[in-house]
């Protein structure tokens, strides 16, 4: 017969609740103003590190050698400006609006710059990066990267939705429409992933494309652009359908359809936090941060970094230093600040929703995630006010804070955040002062503070029964079918059967032990 441990026993977890939370409090209080100042220092042309960049242009990092990041990436810039836009809309900083105007003006020009990916009408919008003087970068690179236009559209639509003046929105619409038309017509084509390495289909890219199209359809409707609205809605449904196909039934989201890796990758954590919509609750089809799939995925992603010396001796129920993916060799393959912070942010987002809805579900899918944090957890629905709800949310908060604790531990005294810290001793490495690292710190802090970003329309979406993979090519597949088309089958084989077996055993072990302890 099953029994539950009394709440006070559960709360005596080895996590040290108070320690983690006061460390995170102190670190965010110290680091947030530094992150904000250092982020702004990387935006041209007033930013101290970005005087050579045109107004509104975000440099990836001031580093000019080993690596040279003195370029502007569409992805990094959109994520950074989405952070700035959210802060402005939330009333956190009224001084940011001229900077946002500069970003918009710069993107309006950049969209038209012909580059190795094409002209504005032949694929140039998928170009990943430009020189900081806004000329094309013509060296060889992993191109195109189709997440860029989607992320930019999302940032600009979020901005448009906050504007009171219709003429300002109408003025923005042509830029937004260019990006959305690009996404609507190319989402089903091969892309380099956000790490610029694998050319295939990529979960992060599909997820942010879906969000952009969904938000774009709503804006188009509001502006009376009915034909655009119809196109975006149709392709949003198709991308949502395709999005489901990345799930590996062993318990995690596969990052890329190509690449020959396990598929466990920060790609998927970042997808979850950048498509967070509190109105969607713990919805699985849009992979919301508190969905059972996203929690189990987080569990497997984090555990895959037990290979880092830096994580040796850390109990598996405490924060690890995490990187892009375990097989990474870039700068010898290290933890990244922005990926470790993304894990914390996903958990803070989850807490926001559990607290709003006053309910938390432990499903058979999310069970291993919860069970490894709190012994004796049982599958069930727990309402706010119950001791189990209190214990589980406290444990998740402590767990989230412990990832921040890792970042705090490896942040130098001056508060600077590079791209990576070494897997051996945590020394900062690769690009210094990475703008995206600072944005990740700010968004994690906002999520911890309970910030609820504007809804983008993820609530109540249903996956069409039959997916249309390519409107032009008109191939169809059924996500619920037992046989999957070659491309998806290939993914299973490529991911390596042996590795999957090992992981499955670890997964089963946690379940069995936890059931026995129960
Ligand atoms: C390889 C890295 O893994 C990738 O992320 C990076 O963008 C390129 N090299 C260029 O530096
Ligand atoms: C390498 C990362 O893999 C990529 O995602 C990023 O856009 C660039 N560096 C610039 O920060």
């Amino acid at each position: 017969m099953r029994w539950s441990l009394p709440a006070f026993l559960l709360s005596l977890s080895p996590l040290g609740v108070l320690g983690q939370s006061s460390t995170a409090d102190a670190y965010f209080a110290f680091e947030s103003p530094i992150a904000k100042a250092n982020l702004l220092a990387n935006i041209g042309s007033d930013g101290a590190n970005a005087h050579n960049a045109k107004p509104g242009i975000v440099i990836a990092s001031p580093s000019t050698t080993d690596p040279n990041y003195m370029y502007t990436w569409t992805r990094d810039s959109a994520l950074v400006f989405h952070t700035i836009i959210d802060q402005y809309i939330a009333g956190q900083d009224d001084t940011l609006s001229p900077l946002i105007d500069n970003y918009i003006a710069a993107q309006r020009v950049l969209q038209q710059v012909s580059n190795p990916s094409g002209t504005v009408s032949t694929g140039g919008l998928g170009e990943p990066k430009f020189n900081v003087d806004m000329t094309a970068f013509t060296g060889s690179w992993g191109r195109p990267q189709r997440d860029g236009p989607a992320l930019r559209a999302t940032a600009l639509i979020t901005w448009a939705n906050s504007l009171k003046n219709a003429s300002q929105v109408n003025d923005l619409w042509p830029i937004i429409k260019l990006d959305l038309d690009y996404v609507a017509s190319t989402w089903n084509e091969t892309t380099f992933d956000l790490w610029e390495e694998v050319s295939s289909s990529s979960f992060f890219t599909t997820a942010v494309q879906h969000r952009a199209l969904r938000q774009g359809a709503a804006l188009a409707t509001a502006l009376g652009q009915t034909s655009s609205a119809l196109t975006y809605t149709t392709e949003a449904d198709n991308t949502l359908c395709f999005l489901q196909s990345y799930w590996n039934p062993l318990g995690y989201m596969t990052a890329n359809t190509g690449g020959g890796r396990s598929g466990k990758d920060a790609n998927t954590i970042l997808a979850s936090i950048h498509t967070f919509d509190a109105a969607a609750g713990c919805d699985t089809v849009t992979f919301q941060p508190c969905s059972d799939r996203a929690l189990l995925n987080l569990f497997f992603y984090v555990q895959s970094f037990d290979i880092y010396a830096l994580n040796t001796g850390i109990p598996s129920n405490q924060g690890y230093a995490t990187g892009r993916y375990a097989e990474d060799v870039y700068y010898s393959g290290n933890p990244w600040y922005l990926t470790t912070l993304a894990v914390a942010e996903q958990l803070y987002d989850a807490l926001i929703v559990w607290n709003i809805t006053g309910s938390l579900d432990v499903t058979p899918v999310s069970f291993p995630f919860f069970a490894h944090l709190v012994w004796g957890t049982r599958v069930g629905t727990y309402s706010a006010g119950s001791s189990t709800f209190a214990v589980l949310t406290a444990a998740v908060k402590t767990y989230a804070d412990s990832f921040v604790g890792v970042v705090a531990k490896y942040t130098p005294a001056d508060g600077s955040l590079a791209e990576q810290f070494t897997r051996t001793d945590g020394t900062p490495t690769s690009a210094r002062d990475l703008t995206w690292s600072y944005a990740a710190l700010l968004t994690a802090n906002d999520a911890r503070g309970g910030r609820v970003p504007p809804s983008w329309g993820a609530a109540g979406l249903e996956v069409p029964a039959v997916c249309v993979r390519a409107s032009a090519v008109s191939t169809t597949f059924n996500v619920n079918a037992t046989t999957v088309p070659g491309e998806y089958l290939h993914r299973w084989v490529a991911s390596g059967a042996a590795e999957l077996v090992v992981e499955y055993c670890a997964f089963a072990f946690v379940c069995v032990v936890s059931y026995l302890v129960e």
Side-chain angles (χ1 to χ4, degrees):
M1 193 173 127
R2 291 192 179 186
W3 51 278
S4 289
L5 290 173
F8 80 90
L9 265 183
L10 294 180
S11 64
L12 293 179
S13 71
L15 287 171
V17 174
L18 290 174
Q20 292 294 356
S21 120
S22 58
T23 301
D25 282 341
Y27 177 66
F28 276 126
F30 160 79
E31 185 64 24
S32 297
I34 296 175
K36 179 77 173 292
N38 291 1
L39 175 145
L40 295 176
N42 286 354
I43 302 176
S45 52
D46 291 340
N49 291 323
H51 292 318
N52 294 333
K54 295 278 192 211
I57 289 293
V58 180
I59 63 169
S61 146
S63 173
T64 52
T65 51
D66 193 24
N68 183 357
Y69 275 23
M70 190 48 86
Y71 296 97
T72 188
W73 271 261
T74 304
R75 168 183 40 260
D76 298 43
S77 306
L79 292 171
V80 164
F81 264 94
H82 199 157
T83 307
I84 290 177
I85 287 167
D86 276 346
Q87 289 215 345
Y88 181 83
I89 293 174
Q92 289 169 255
D93 184 346
D94 288 345
T95 69
L96 296 170
S97 107
L99 215 52
I100 297 169
D101 290 340
N102 287 347
Y103 171 68
I104 294 166
Q107 299 309 307
R108 198 189 292 274
V109 172
L110 270 185
Q111 281 184 325
Q112 305 291 332
V113 175
S114 295
N115 60 66
S117 294
T119 68
V120 63
S121 53
T122 64
L125 295 170
E127 179 69 3
K129 72 173 195 181
F130 293 83
N131 297 318
V132 300
D133 64 1
M134 298 174 62
T135 58
F137 166 75
T138 53
S140 66
W141 208 253
R143 57 168 67 91
Q145 296 176 20
R146 303 187 195 276
D147 56 332
L151 293 167
R152 179 167 55 199
T154 284
L156 294 180
I157 294 168
T158 303
W159 180 239
N161 291 343
S162 78
L163 296 171
K164 306 238 165 2
N165 183 331
S167 75
Q168 287 176 292
V169 180
N170 285 328
D171 184 52
L172 265 182
W173 174 247
I175 321 181
I176 295 171
K177 183 175 186 300
L178 275 179
D179 281 339
L180 291 176
D181 288 349
Y182 174 86
V183 174
S185 59
T186 60
W187 67 265
N188 50 18
E189 292 179 29
T190 298
T191 178
F192 273 86
D193 70 320
L194 80 168
W195 308 135
E196 319 192 279
E197 296 172 332
V198 177
S199 180
S200 66
S201 294
S202 189
F203 183 75
F204 176 83
T205 304
T206 307
V208 300
Q209 287 171 330
H210 170 250
R211 176 182 172 164
L213 291 168
R214 199 65 76 182
Q215 271 185 297
L219 180 61
T221 302
L223 293 177
Q225 303 279 338
T226 41
S227 123
S228 293
L230 191 66
T231 304
Y232 303 155
T233 302
T234 302
E235 299 307 335
D237 287 342
N238 291 339
T239 49
L240 181 63
C241 221
F242 182 49
L243 198 66
Q244 311 309 309
S245 71
Y246 291 88
W247 180 250
N248 180 328
L250 289 180
Y252 60 90
M253 203 55 87
T254 309
N256 302 307
T257 58
R261 303 178 190 144
S262 79
K264 288 172 224 163
D265 190 313
N267 168 318
T268 62
I269 309 288
L270 290 163
S272 188
I273 64 172
H274 291 301
T275 58
F276 173 43
D277 183 345
C282 297
D283 174 48
T284 300
V285 298
T286 55
F287 204 54
Q288 288 302 309
C290 60
S291 66
D292 56 2
R293 284 188 173 183
L295 293 172
L296 186 63
N297 177 68
L298 181 148
F299 171 78
F300 279 126
Y301 161 75
V302 171
Q303 300 312 321
S304 72
F305 295 100
D306 59 5
I307 54 162
Y308 291 161
L310 213 58
N311 292 328
T312 307
I314 298 179
S316 77
N317 60 358
Q318 288 192 36
Y320 277 6
T322 72
R324 300 193 298 183
Y325 49 88
E327 303 91 334
D328 201 355
V329 294
Y330 184 46
Y331 281 78
S332 306
N334 296 300
W336 285 40
Y337 293 101
L338 75 91
T339 58
T340 308
L341 287 165
V343 175
E345 184 168 336
Q346 185 188 322
L347 298 172
Y348 295 138
D349 287 345
L351 286 161
I352 287 173
V353 174
W354 292 325
N355 286 319
I356 290 176
T357 58
S359 177
L360 181 157
D361 277 336
V362 178
T363 73
V365 172
S366 60
F367 173 77
F369 166 80
F370 288 105
H372 101 288
L373 289 185
V374 179
W375 289 119
T377 301
R378 294 167 56 175
V379 169
T381 298
Y382 303 102
S383 327
S386 69
S387 59
T388 307
F389 181 92
V391 167
L392 291 177
T393 52
V396 170
K397 173 85 186 312
T398 303
Y399 186 50
D401 284 347
S402 68
F403 288 89
V404 176
V406 170
V407 168
K409 185 170 176 187
Y410 300 110
T411 299
D414 67 359
S416 61
L417 297 178
E419 181 184 73
Q420 313 181 22
F421 48 108
T422 64
R423 66 198 283 162
T424 46
D425 66 6
T427 307
T429 190
S430 186
R432 74 175 173 98
D433 294 300
L434 189 81
T435 324
W436 189 357
S437 294
Y438 294 125
L441 185 290
L442 296 175
T443 56
N445 182 43
D446 285 342
R448 186 171 190 264
R451 171 215 61 168
V452 182
S455 176
W456 57 267
L461 295 175
E462 278 177 28
V463 182
V466 175
C467 298
V468 180
R469 174 78 172 92
S471 44
V473 185
S474 175
T475 44
T476 59
F477 68 93
N478 185 337
V479 275
N480 298 317
T482 42
T483 53
V484 287
E487 186 191 345
Y488 309 107
L489 203 56
H490 169 75
R491 184 156 80 234
W492 301 110
V493 178
S495 60
E499 206 249 353
L500 288 178
V501 168
V502 169
E503 284 305 329
Y504 188 72
C505 292
F507 171 71
F509 178 75
V510 172
C511 298
V512 169
V513 169
S514 194
Y515 270 119
L516 288 179
V517 169
E518 251 183 61

